[in-house]
Amino acid sequence: MKILIVNSNEELAKAGYNWIVEILRTQSTPVLGMATGSSPMGIYKLMRENHLDVSHTVTVNLDEYINVPANHENSYHCFMKKQLFDHISFKKIFLPNGMAENLQEECLRYEQVLDEYPVDLQILGIGENGHIGFNEPGTSFSSRTHVIQLTESTRHANRRFFNHEHDVPTHAITMGIASIMKAKRIMLLAMGTAKASAVRQLLEGPITEKCPATILREHPDVLIITDQQALSLCS
Ligand code: F6R
């Protein structure tokens, strides 16, 4: 794992953006694995503002809430539209359908998408509890796309996007940990003291399903972009 220490969200955004530009420049049909949440927003802003040519690029999102319609402002579909898809035009975009009648079939469909479009660069944030995607602590390292019950800590962290605590969804559909590990390269973004405990476990703790992100130490090509605050609990 490589670690890039930055001083600000702007520096993180530039570093992440530059890596994406490089991949888009050197591949004929690059596949980007996308995350939602605060961490990648600066990167998406640069992609929008620079009108990055993504007409040859395929995107595959990590996750989506269950029972939140795609056109609802809190859906990850809507987040991605606002952040990127309404601004620059990709060749193809894929997100899990959290409204699917048969969620098990939807998980299988999504795995087929990932087989057809293997991810070249996966962007990841990290949960305060060490989750990646919505793979909460305890999720099997061999998991593929699946339905998961969100922990109270994750629901609490995501509360800021909703009007009321009870509006925060309880379940999501997420790429599994094995699905994420198939990406050729991974860029994990972790800024601020709220992530310090998760980052310490990621870098120094045992590799354990109790902290899903720790599996990334077994991936051959991971870059962590982080700051001193997030590293503050590391030795
Ligand atoms: C988002 C996702 C989550 C977030 C994580 C960090 O699609 O899968 O794992 O990346 O919860 O969220 P932020 O970036 O808001 O701190």
Side-chain angles (χ1 to χ4, degrees), residues 35-39 62-63 76 125-127 131-134 160 195:
T36 62
S38 314
S39 304
L62 277 171
D63 42 19
Y76 284 178
I126 183 169
H131 73 216
I132 48 174
F134 269 140
R160 65 192 191 278
K195 303 295 170 73

Side-chain angles (χ1 to χ4, degrees), residues 26 42 49 54 64 69 88 157 186-187 189 219 222:
T26 50
E49 288 179 351
V54 289
E64 176 59 287
I88 51 177
I186 294 178
M187 167 165 79
L189 315 170
H219 190 284
V222 178

Side-chain angles (χ1 to χ4, degrees), residues 19-184:
W19 200 16
I20 289 174
V21 168
E22 184 58 17
I23 286 184
L24 266 52
R25 195 179 59 76
T26 50
Q27 288 188 220
S28 55
T29 310
V31 181
L32 293 181
M34 312 303 270
T36 62
S38 314
S39 304
M41 283 174 69
I43 298 176
Y44 298 159
K45 183 165 180 262
L46 288 180
M47 291 172 78
R48 289 196 303 267
E49 288 179 351
N50 290 308
H51 306 289
L52 189 62
D53 180 5
V54 289
S55 53
H56 61 319
T57 305
V58 175
T59 66
V60 192
N61 260 81
L62 277 171
D63 42 19
E64 176 59 287
Y65 290 124
I66 286 177
N67 277 337
V68 178
N71 60 4
H72 188 281
E73 58 174 352
N74 288 129
S75 74
Y76 284 178
H77 278 75
C78 204
F79 176 96
M80 291 307 298
K81 266 168 72 69
K82 280 193 205 144
Q83 294 292 319
L84 270 188
F85 301 155
D86 279 350
H87 306 272
I88 51 177
S89 190
F90 289 87
K91 183 181 168 86
K92 267 180 194 289
I93 54 177
F94 295 98
L95 287 102
N97 176 8
M99 296 297 288
E101 253 177 53
N102 186 328
L103 290 167
Q104 294 317 318
E105 272 175 19
E106 174 58 11
C107 294
L108 292 175
R109 179 194 74 85
Y110 212 65
E111 281 298 312
Q112 282 162 9
V113 168
L114 293 171
D115 285 344
E116 195 175 344
Y117 297 100
V119 172
D120 291 302
L121 174 64
Q122 177 66 56
I123 302 169
L124 291 178
I126 183 169
E128 290 172 25
N129 61 7
H131 73 216
I132 48 174
F134 269 140
N135 295 289
E136 300 283 31
T139 306
S140 164
F141 282 157
S142 59
S143 55
R144 304 279 175 180
T145 303
H146 61 287
V147 170
I148 191 135
Q149 180 165 11
L150 302 179
T151 61
E152 278 316 303
S153 118
T154 297
R155 293 186 70 234
H156 184 72
N158 289 2
R159 161 77 178 83
R160 65 192 191 278
F161 298 114
F162 294 83
N163 292 333
H164 303 287
E165 187 97 37
H166 60 257
D167 290 337
V168 186
T170 55
H171 290 76
I173 183 165
T174 180
M175 276 189 208
I177 296 181
S179 330
I180 292 172
M181 289 291 280
K182 282 197 301 183
K184 290 185 197 110

